[in-house]
Amino acid sequence: MAEPVALFALAVDAAIGWPQALYRRIGHPVGTFAFVIAFCERRWNDNRLSDGARRALGVVTVIGLTTLAFGIAFVVQEAARHLFGRWSWVAVGVLAFPAIAQRSLHDHVLAVARPLEAGRLDAARGAVGMIVGRDTAALDEAGVARAAIESLSESFCDGIVAPAFWLLVLGLPGVWAYKAINTADSMIGHYEPRWRAFGWATARTDDVANLVPARLSGLLICIAGRGGWRIMLRDARKHASPNAGWPEAAMAGVLGVRLAGPVSYDGVTHNKPWIGEGGADVSAADLHRALHIYRIACLLLWIIAGSVAWAL
């Protein structure tokens, strides 16, 4: 049996997450990536430079950041193997679990569902504003619920399946290199004029890194919810992202609702296509159903991680 590092990391994250007390004291490891990315962006994303130069500097940024994350994690992993021998997988699992966000994602979405269910719409808007980038001040109950379900679905890939996948494939260096890429994508991998050239390499690298995990995420959601296959296969490509549409369409199909549609960012409405069938009047009950499916999908991922360790 191979070392069950991924299974152990998933279990630790589900049990304790990243405690707020620890976050207040030392922050989170991805904060280091954010610092490096922000430094490079301030120094090199100069609008006085040509788009070609900014794109080249963006390539240097993503290569440098990924190499740094991979290299440090590789050295740490080898040191753990040298120090702890046959039990090094426990140390590696402890070092890997902060890259996974099962508990954090669940708790953040639950913090939306509870006030929404109690009719406290303003509190639900505030909670969903913590996990989405869209304008939330004018969202009705259905808009809040849709936003939370979309975030839950997409983050199931970015925050859980993809880190676990790269941990299984490349060990500790793989999971932290992925987190570096994904953090950069969330900060600079945007289409707006400020980031379009400089963030191009980051966005494309993140697309490649999530290619398999996104489809695996949709598969797990469909299995967990016992359906959704037709909608996933039909609507996944309606999403602007080549990857995010897979888990989102799967969740829409399982729940029998419509997600996406018109959404406002910084006061500007974007007419995104609808994903799924059925009503757009999504409720707190649908959000709780989505959380139930999410928990089952996470459990299925545990089974995959344990099976891979057993098979190898």
Side-chain angles (χ1 to χ4, degrees):
M1 181 175 177
E3 298 168 344
V5 174
L7 179 60
F8 182 69
L10 286 163
V12 173
D13 171 64
I16 65 173
W18 191 251
Q20 280 297 316
L22 190 60
Y23 181 81
R24 286 192 294 269
R25 284 178 176 272
I26 65 171
H28 190 277
V30 299
T32 303
F33 300 145
F35 176 83
V36 173
I37 296 158
F39 175 82
C40 293
E41 201 270 341
R42 287 193 306 269
R43 190 177 182 87
W44 290 337
N45 190 22
D46 189 336
N47 59 16
R48 291 172 296 182
L49 298 174
S50 68
D51 281 358
R54 292 161 74 187
R55 181 174 289 194
L57 289 169
V59 171
V60 171
T61 297
V62 71
I63 291 175
L65 180 69
T66 306
T67 301
L68 180 67
F70 191 96
I72 291 174
F74 179 81
V75 170
V76 170
Q77 179 175 269
E78 292 306 304
R81 287 178 175 168
H82 177 73
L83 289 171
F84 301 108
R86 60 178 295 192
W87 295 105
S88 63
W89 64 270
V90 176
V92 173
V94 169
L95 293 166
F97 94 86
I100 302 171
Q102 293 167 110
R103 189 181 184 99
S104 175
L105 178 58
H106 180 274
D107 290 350
H108 277 88
V109 175
L110 189 61
V112 179
R114 284 174 171 166
L116 194 64
E117 187 177 37
R120 295 186 289 118
L121 184 56
D122 284 342
R125 286 171 177 159
V128 81
M130 300 293 291
I131 59 173
V132 300
R134 72 191 64 183
D135 299 336
T136 61
L139 291 178
D140 58 8
E141 178 184 349
V144 169
R146 280 201 307 274
I149 292 171
E150 290 165 25
S151 182
L152 177 69
S153 305
E154 294 179 23
S155 297
F156 176 57
C157 173
D158 292 352
I160 296 99
V161 176
F165 174 82
W166 287 110
L167 180 58
L168 284 167
V169 172
L170 293 175
L172 193 67
V175 70
W176 284 112
Y178 170 77
K179 290 302 291 186
I181 293 166
N182 190 244
T183 303
D185 182 63
S186 69
M187 292 178 66
I188 62 174
H190 308 299
Y191 194 68
E192 286 80 5
R194 174 179 171 181
W195 295 287
R196 188 177 303 163
F198 185 72
W200 172 83
T202 291
R204 299 291 78 78
T205 304
D206 187 73
D207 287 343
V208 172
N210 279 300
L211 196 66
V212 173
R215 285 142 184 85
L216 178 58
S217 300
L219 174 70
L220 291 173
I221 289 171
C222 287
I223 294 173
R226 300 180 182 180
W229 303 97
R230 182 177 63 85
I231 297 299
M232 180 181 72
L233 294 173
R234 189 193 72 183
D235 290 355
R237 293 176 180 83
K238 289 183 179 180
H239 201 286
S241 164
N243 295 316
W246 291 88
E248 188 171 317
M251 187 67 81
V254 167
L255 296 176
V257 300
R258 286 196 298 169
L259 299 176
V263 62
S264 176
Y265 294 96
D266 298 323
V268 179
T269 299
H270 299 260
N271 291 311
K272 296 183 178 182
W274 289 100
I275 291 175
E277 294 176 348
D281 294 330
V282 186
S283 67
D286 294 313
L287 184 50
H288 277 293
R289 288 171 57 211
L291 279 167
H292 177 68
I293 292 164
Y294 166 79
R295 289 189 290 267
I296 296 173
C298 286
L299 180 59
L300 292 173
L301 184 61
W302 286 37
I303 293 171
I304 291 173
S307 298
V308 169
W310 178 82
L312 296 177

